[in-house]
Amino acid sequence: MRAVIQRVERASVTIAGDVVGKIDAGYLILLGVGHADTRAEADKLWGKIFALRINDDEEGKTNLSLPDVDGEVLVVSQFTLFANCRKGRRPSFVEAAPPAQATELYEYFVDLVRSDVGRVQTGRFGADMQVELVNDGPFTIVLDTDEL
């Protein structure tokens, strides 16, 4: 699994003009599922994200985790995180999981987040979405379970 975690002041996702998910301060997580991923990768990835100390303390140092700041989370599926651009100019997405597998693992990941975080919003898997955010910092982290 791959995730782009952006610490945000606020974020939202819109589908066909309707806001379907909106958060205040916390994390926007763009989540990609690869064809070899299982629930074990989802567990590992969420465990890492939940414990990351990327929020500022009173002295402005990144010492606080998501639960320390009572942050909110917006999770948006993004298969394009598995784009392979090594050949040519058109990305290949063969490393991304097929829709049934990706949907199941995306929903499992969201359930993990909901078990630990009070306010969790999502996009809609497979939909054409518009994501808006105010990146706080800016602070963006990229994680790949193959490297954790």
Side-chain angles (χ1 to χ4, degrees):
M1 293 184 120
R2 293 181 182 156
V4 174
I5 301 100
Q6 297 184 0
R7 189 179 73 189
V8 298
E9 290 182 13
R10 65 184 174 277
S12 65
V13 61
T14 302
I15 300 172
D18 294 324
V19 175
V20 298
K22 182 177 181 180
I23 63 166
D24 289 320
Y27 298 165
L28 167 63
I29 301 173
L30 304 174
L31 182 70
V33 178
H35 67 273
D37 290 331
T38 66
R39 287 181 174 213
E41 281 78 24
D43 293 335
K44 183 184 340 181
L45 183 60
W46 174 242
K48 183 67 147 185
I49 293 169
F50 188 64
L52 279 176
R53 297 183 335 169
I54 61 172
N55 295 282
D56 294 343
D57 64 14
E58 316 78 44
E59 298 174 12
K61 296 186 175 161
T62 53
N63 282 326
L64 303 178
S65 65
L66 186 67
D68 293 333
V69 297
D70 197 29
E72 301 178 5
V73 176
L74 173 60
V75 183
V76 177
S77 64
Q78 187 154 2
F79 78 95
T80 60
L81 292 177
F82 277 88
N84 182 327
C85 298
R86 290 182 195 104
K87 290 184 176 181
R89 294 180 289 174
R90 179 180 294 177
S92 168
F93 299 103
V94 297
E95 296 174 28
Q101 175 191 4
T103 301
E104 190 274 326
L105 287 173
Y106 168 77
E107 290 174 357
Y108 177 75
F109 183 87
V110 170
D111 287 344
L112 291 173
V113 177
R114 285 191 169 127
S115 70
D116 290 326
V117 177
R119 179 160 167 78
V120 179
Q121 297 285 294
T122 66
R124 188 172 306 137
F125 188 90
D128 181 23
M129 298 175 274
Q130 291 70 51
V131 179
E132 293 184 61
L133 68 135
V134 175
N135 194 317
D136 181 20
F139 209 111
T140 302
I141 302 286
V142 178
L143 297 176
D144 187 322
T145 53
D146 288 343
E147 299 172 5
L148 294 181

PDB file of all heavy atoms in Angstrom, residues 23-46:
ATOM      1  N   ILE A  23     -13.190  17.742   6.512  1.00  0.00           N
ATOM      2  CA  ILE A  23     -12.602  17.729   7.855  1.00  0.00           C
ATOM      3  C   ILE A  23     -11.962  19.074   8.159  1.00  0.00           C
ATOM      4  O   ILE A  23     -11.656  19.855   7.254  1.00  0.00           O
ATOM      5  CB  ILE A  23     -11.540  16.615   8.023  1.00  0.00           C
ATOM      6  CG1 ILE A  23     -10.349  16.836   7.085  1.00  0.00           C
ATOM      7  CG2 ILE A  23     -12.167  15.245   7.858  1.00  0.00           C
ATOM      8  CD1 ILE A  23      -9.125  15.990   7.418  1.00  0.00           C
ATOM      9  N   ASP A  24     -11.746  19.285   9.441  1.00  0.00           N
ATOM     10  CA  ASP A  24     -10.935  20.398   9.897  1.00  0.00           C
ATOM     11  C   ASP A  24      -9.531  19.841  10.147  1.00  0.00           C
ATOM     12  O   ASP A  24      -9.141  18.874   9.509  1.00  0.00           O
ATOM     13  CB  ASP A  24     -11.564  21.043  11.133  1.00  0.00           C
ATOM     14  CG  ASP A  24     -12.842  21.809  10.783  1.00  0.00           C
ATOM     15  OD1 ASP A  24     -12.865  22.475   9.731  1.00  0.00           O
ATOM     16  OD2 ASP A  24     -13.818  21.722  11.552  1.00  0.00           O
ATOM     17  N   ALA A  25      -8.785  20.387  11.070  1.00  0.00           N
ATOM     18  CA  ALA A  25      -7.377  20.038  11.266  1.00  0.00           C
ATOM     19  C   ALA A  25      -7.174  18.535  11.455  1.00  0.00           C
ATOM     20  O   ALA A  25      -7.888  17.880  12.224  1.00  0.00           O
ATOM     21  CB  ALA A  25      -6.829  20.788  12.468  1.00  0.00           C
ATOM     22  N   GLY A  26      -6.197  18.017  10.724  1.00  0.00           N
ATOM     23  CA  GLY A  26      -5.881  16.595  10.801  1.00  0.00           C
ATOM     24  C   GLY A  26      -5.088  16.153   9.586  1.00  0.00           C
ATOM     25  O   GLY A  26      -4.217  16.882   9.119  1.00  0.00           O
ATOM     26  N   TYR A  27      -5.436  14.968   9.054  1.00  0.00           N
ATOM     27  CA  TYR A  27      -4.699  14.391   7.932  1.00  0.00           C
ATOM     28  C   TYR A  27      -5.633  14.106   6.765  1.00  0.00           C
ATOM     29  O   TYR A  27      -6.695  13.500   6.930  1.00  0.00           O
ATOM     30  CB  TYR A  27      -4.058  13.059   8.306  1.00  0.00           C
ATOM     31  CG  TYR A  27      -3.027  13.084   9.404  1.00  0.00           C
ATOM     32  CD1 TYR A  27      -2.633  11.902  10.003  1.00  0.00           C
ATOM     33  CD2 TYR A  27      -2.446  14.269   9.850  1.00  0.00           C
ATOM     34  CE1 TYR A  27      -1.692  11.886  11.011  1.00  0.00           C
ATOM     35  CE2 TYR A  27      -1.502  14.262  10.865  1.00  0.00           C
ATOM     36  CZ  TYR A  27      -1.129  13.067  11.441  1.00  0.00           C
ATOM     37  OH  TYR A  27      -0.196  13.057  12.444  1.00  0.00           O
ATOM     38  N   LEU A  28      -5.184  14.482   5.588  1.00  0.00           N
ATOM     39  CA  LEU A  28      -5.750  13.986   4.340  1.00  0.00           C
ATOM     40  C   LEU A  28      -4.857  12.827   3.928  1.00  0.00           C
ATOM     41  O   LEU A  28      -3.643  13.007   3.786  1.00  0.00           O
ATOM     42  CB  LEU A  28      -5.751  15.065   3.261  1.00  0.00           C
ATOM     43  CG  LEU A  28      -6.025  14.576   1.839  1.00  0.00           C
ATOM     44  CD1 LEU A  28      -7.408  13.958   1.705  1.00  0.00           C
ATOM     45  CD2 LEU A  28      -5.840  15.711   0.843  1.00  0.00           C
ATOM     46  N   ILE A  29      -5.438  11.636   3.779  1.00  0.00           N
ATOM     47  CA  ILE A  29      -4.673  10.458   3.376  1.00  0.00           C
ATOM     48  C   ILE A  29      -5.144  10.021   2.004  1.00  0.00           C
ATOM     49  O   ILE A  29      -6.302   9.621   1.831  1.00  0.00           O
ATOM     50  CB  ILE A  29      -4.845   9.295   4.375  1.00  0.00           C
ATOM     51  CG1 ILE A  29      -4.394   9.718   5.777  1.00  0.00           C
ATOM     52  CG2 ILE A  29      -4.080   8.061   3.894  1.00  0.00           C
ATOM     53  CD1 ILE A  29      -4.686   8.679   6.860  1.00  0.00           C
ATOM     54  N   LEU A  30      -4.247  10.123   1.021  1.00  0.00           N
ATOM     55  CA  LEU A  30      -4.498   9.567  -0.301  1.00  0.00           C
ATOM     56  C   LEU A  30      -3.958   8.151  -0.264  1.00  0.00           C
ATOM     57  O   LEU A  30      -2.774   7.947   0.031  1.00  0.00           O
ATOM     58  CB  LEU A  30      -3.801  10.405  -1.378  1.00  0.00           C
ATOM     59  CG  LEU A  30      -4.156  11.890  -1.386  1.00  0.00           C
ATOM     60  CD1 LEU A  30      -3.295  12.632  -2.404  1.00  0.00           C
ATOM     61  CD2 LEU A  30      -5.630  12.099  -1.664  1.00  0.00           C
ATOM     62  N   LEU A  31      -4.800   7.153  -0.553  1.00  0.00           N
ATOM     63  CA  LEU A  31      -4.445   5.754  -0.341  1.00  0.00           C
ATOM     64  C   LEU A  31      -4.499   4.964  -1.643  1.00  0.00           C
ATOM     65  O   LEU A  31      -5.519   4.956  -2.329  1.00  0.00           O
ATOM     66  CB  LEU A  31      -5.415   5.125   0.664  1.00  0.00           C
ATOM     67  CG  LEU A  31      -5.151   3.680   1.044  1.00  0.00           C
ATOM     68  CD1 LEU A  31      -3.876   3.580   1.891  1.00  0.00           C
ATOM     69  CD2 LEU A  31      -6.340   3.111   1.800  1.00  0.00           C
ATOM     70  N   GLY A  32      -3.377   4.303  -1.952  1.00  0.00           N
ATOM     71  CA  GLY A  32      -3.313   3.421  -3.110  1.00  0.00           C
ATOM     72  C   GLY A  32      -3.079   1.988  -2.672  1.00  0.00           C
ATOM     73  O   GLY A  32      -2.302   1.736  -1.746  1.00  0.00           O
ATOM     74  N   VAL A  33      -3.740   1.046  -3.337  1.00  0.00           N
ATOM     75  CA  VAL A  33      -3.627  -0.375  -3.008  1.00  0.00           C
ATOM     76  C   VAL A  33      -2.977  -1.090  -4.179  1.00  0.00           C
ATOM     77  O   VAL A  33      -3.430  -0.960  -5.323  1.00  0.00           O
ATOM     78  CB  VAL A  33      -5.015  -0.985  -2.704  1.00  0.00           C
ATOM     79  CG1 VAL A  33      -4.892  -2.473  -2.402  1.00  0.00           C
ATOM     80  CG2 VAL A  33      -5.691  -0.243  -1.562  1.00  0.00           C
ATOM     81  N   GLY A  34      -1.929  -1.857  -3.878  1.00  0.00           N
ATOM     82  CA  GLY A  34      -1.237  -2.627  -4.903  1.00  0.00           C
ATOM     83  C   GLY A  34      -1.771  -4.041  -4.998  1.00  0.00           C
ATOM     84  O   GLY A  34      -2.424  -4.546  -4.078  1.00  0.00           O
ATOM     85  N   HIS A  35      -1.470  -4.719  -6.117  1.00  0.00           N
ATOM     86  CA  HIS A  35      -2.017  -6.059  -6.349  1.00  0.00           C
ATOM     87  C   HIS A  35      -1.526  -7.093  -5.332  1.00  0.00           C
ATOM     88  O   HIS A  35      -2.185  -8.107  -5.111  1.00  0.00           O
ATOM     89  CB  HIS A  35      -1.719  -6.517  -7.778  1.00  0.00           C
ATOM     90  CG  HIS A  35      -0.271  -6.743  -8.053  1.00  0.00           C
ATOM     91  ND1 HIS A  35       0.568  -5.739  -8.460  1.00  0.00           N
ATOM     92  CD2 HIS A  35       0.483  -7.858  -7.960  1.00  0.00           C
ATOM     93  CE1 HIS A  35       1.790  -6.231  -8.605  1.00  0.00           C
ATOM     94  NE2 HIS A  35       1.769  -7.506  -8.316  1.00  0.00           N
ATOM     95  N   ALA A  36      -0.393  -6.860  -4.684  1.00  0.00           N
ATOM     96  CA  ALA A  36       0.144  -7.821  -3.710  1.00  0.00           C
ATOM     97  C   ALA A  36      -0.254  -7.481  -2.273  1.00  0.00           C
ATOM     98  O   ALA A  36       0.128  -8.187  -1.342  1.00  0.00           O
ATOM     99  CB  ALA A  36       1.665  -7.880  -3.824  1.00  0.00           C
ATOM    100  N   ASP A  37      -1.036  -6.435  -2.071  1.00  0.00           N
ATOM    101  CA  ASP A  37      -1.367  -5.985  -0.721  1.00  0.00           C
ATOM    102  C   ASP A  37      -2.447  -6.848  -0.068  1.00  0.00           C
ATOM    103  O   ASP A  37      -3.326  -7.396  -0.741  1.00  0.00           O
ATOM    104  CB  ASP A  37      -1.820  -4.522  -0.736  1.00  0.00           C
ATOM    105  CG  ASP A  37      -0.680  -3.571  -1.033  1.00  0.00           C
ATOM    106  OD1 ASP A  37       0.471  -3.904  -0.692  1.00  0.00           O
ATOM    107  OD2 ASP A  37      -0.945  -2.502  -1.606  1.00  0.00           O
ATOM    108  N   THR A  38      -2.351  -6.931   1.262  1.00  0.00           N
ATOM    109  CA  THR A  38      -3.307  -7.675   2.083  1.00  0.00           C
ATOM    110  C   THR A  38      -3.694  -6.811   3.281  1.00  0.00           C
ATOM    111  O   THR A  38      -3.177  -5.694   3.449  1.00  0.00           O
ATOM    112  CB  THR A  38      -2.680  -8.992   2.601  1.00  0.00           C
ATOM    113  OG1 THR A  38      -1.616  -8.658   3.508  1.00  0.00           O
ATOM    114  CG2 THR A  38      -2.149  -9.850   1.459  1.00  0.00           C
ATOM    115  N   ARG A  39      -4.522  -7.361   4.143  1.00  0.00           N
ATOM    116  CA  ARG A  39      -4.893  -6.646   5.368  1.00  0.00           C
ATOM    117  C   ARG A  39      -3.679  -6.380   6.252  1.00  0.00           C
ATOM    118  O   ARG A  39      -3.652  -5.403   6.989  1.00  0.00           O
ATOM    119  CB  ARG A  39      -5.962  -7.423   6.133  1.00  0.00           C
ATOM    120  CG  ARG A  39      -7.319  -7.364   5.472  1.00  0.00           C
ATOM    121  CD  ARG A  39      -8.373  -8.116   6.255  1.00  0.00           C
ATOM    122  NE  ARG A  39      -9.679  -7.899   5.645  1.00  0.00           N
ATOM    123  CZ  ARG A  39     -10.807  -7.847   6.325  1.00  0.00           C
ATOM    124  NH1 ARG A  39     -10.801  -8.033   7.641  1.00  0.00           N
ATOM    125  NH2 ARG A  39     -11.946  -7.640   5.711  1.00  0.00           N
ATOM    126  N   ALA A  40      -2.674  -7.231   6.176  1.00  0.00           N
ATOM    127  CA  ALA A  40      -1.458  -7.026   6.978  1.00  0.00           C
ATOM    128  C   ALA A  40      -0.790  -5.708   6.608  1.00  0.00           C
ATOM    129  O   ALA A  40      -0.295  -4.986   7.482  1.00  0.00           O
ATOM    130  CB  ALA A  40      -0.490  -8.190   6.790  1.00  0.00           C
ATOM    131  N   GLU A  41      -0.762  -5.378   5.319  1.00  0.00           N
ATOM    132  CA  GLU A  41      -0.187  -4.090   4.912  1.00  0.00           C
ATOM    133  C   GLU A  41      -1.034  -2.928   5.409  1.00  0.00           C
ATOM    134  O   GLU A  41      -0.507  -1.894   5.825  1.00  0.00           O
ATOM    135  CB  GLU A  41      -0.032  -4.018   3.386  1.00  0.00           C
ATOM    136  CG  GLU A  41       1.173  -4.764   2.845  1.00  0.00           C
ATOM    137  CD  GLU A  41       0.960  -6.274   2.778  1.00  0.00           C
ATOM    138  OE1 GLU A  41      -0.198  -6.730   2.704  1.00  0.00           O
ATOM    139  OE2 GLU A  41       1.973  -6.992   2.816  1.00  0.00           O
ATOM    140  N   ALA A  42      -2.346  -3.086   5.372  1.00  0.00           N
ATOM    141  CA  ALA A  42      -3.228  -2.028   5.877  1.00  0.00           C
ATOM    142  C   ALA A  42      -2.992  -1.803   7.366  1.00  0.00           C
ATOM    143  O   ALA A  42      -2.905  -0.654   7.822  1.00  0.00           O
ATOM    144  CB  ALA A  42      -4.691  -2.383   5.611  1.00  0.00           C
ATOM    145  N   ASP A  43      -2.880  -2.904   8.123  1.00  0.00           N
ATOM    146  CA  ASP A  43      -2.603  -2.789   9.561  1.00  0.00           C
ATOM    147  C   ASP A  43      -1.292  -2.056   9.810  1.00  0.00           C
ATOM    148  O   ASP A  43      -1.209  -1.163  10.663  1.00  0.00           O
ATOM    149  CB  ASP A  43      -2.531  -4.177  10.209  1.00  0.00           C
ATOM    150  CG  ASP A  43      -3.860  -4.913  10.229  1.00  0.00           C
ATOM    151  OD1 ASP A  43      -4.922  -4.257  10.197  1.00  0.00           O
ATOM    152  OD2 ASP A  43      -3.828  -6.165  10.278  1.00  0.00           O
ATOM    153  N   LYS A  44      -0.254  -2.443   9.084  1.00  0.00           N
ATOM    154  CA  LYS A  44       1.066  -1.845   9.260  1.00  0.00           C
ATOM    155  C   LYS A  44       1.045  -0.358   8.893  1.00  0.00           C
ATOM    156  O   LYS A  44       1.590   0.480   9.620  1.00  0.00           O
ATOM    157  CB  LYS A  44       2.086  -2.584   8.379  1.00  0.00           C
ATOM    158  CG  LYS A  44       3.496  -2.077   8.553  1.00  0.00           C
ATOM    159  CD  LYS A  44       4.566  -2.667   7.656  1.00  0.00           C
ATOM    160  CE  LYS A  44       4.334  -3.966   6.981  1.00  0.00           C
ATOM    161  NZ  LYS A  44       5.494  -4.396   6.167  1.00  0.00           N
ATOM    162  N   LEU A  45       0.400  -0.043   7.782  1.00  0.00           N
ATOM    163  CA  LEU A  45       0.360   1.345   7.322  1.00  0.00           C
ATOM    164  C   LEU A  45      -0.401   2.230   8.304  1.00  0.00           C
ATOM    165  O   LEU A  45       0.088   3.293   8.699  1.00  0.00           O
ATOM    166  CB  LEU A  45      -0.270   1.421   5.928  1.00  0.00           C
ATOM    167  CG  LEU A  45      -0.325   2.795   5.294  1.00  0.00           C
ATOM    168  CD1 LEU A  45       1.076   3.389   5.119  1.00  0.00           C
ATOM    169  CD2 LEU A  45      -1.042   2.722   3.944  1.00  0.00           C
ATOM    170  N   TRP A  46      -1.580   1.800   8.726  1.00  0.00           N
ATOM    171  CA  TRP A  46      -2.345   2.626   9.664  1.00  0.00           C
ATOM    172  C   TRP A  46      -1.606   2.768  10.990  1.00  0.00           C
ATOM    173  O   TRP A  46      -1.574   3.843  11.577  1.00  0.00           O
ATOM    174  CB  TRP A  46      -3.755   2.103   9.875  1.00  0.00           C
ATOM    175  CG  TRP A  46      -4.442   2.898  10.943  1.00  0.00           C
ATOM    176  CD1 TRP A  46      -4.912   2.446  12.134  1.00  0.00           C
ATOM    177  CD2 TRP A  46      -4.665   4.320  10.958  1.00  0.00           C
ATOM    178  NE1 TRP A  46      -5.425   3.479  12.877  1.00  0.00           N
ATOM    179  CE2 TRP A  46      -5.287   4.649  12.178  1.00  0.00           C
ATOM    180  CE3 TRP A  46      -4.400   5.341  10.054  1.00  0.00           C
ATOM    181  CZ2 TRP A  46      -5.646   5.953  12.511  1.00  0.00           C
ATOM    182  CZ3 TRP A  46      -4.746   6.644  10.392  1.00  0.00           C
ATOM    183  CH2 TRP A  46      -5.366   6.942  11.603  1.00  0.00           C
TER     184      TRP A  46
END
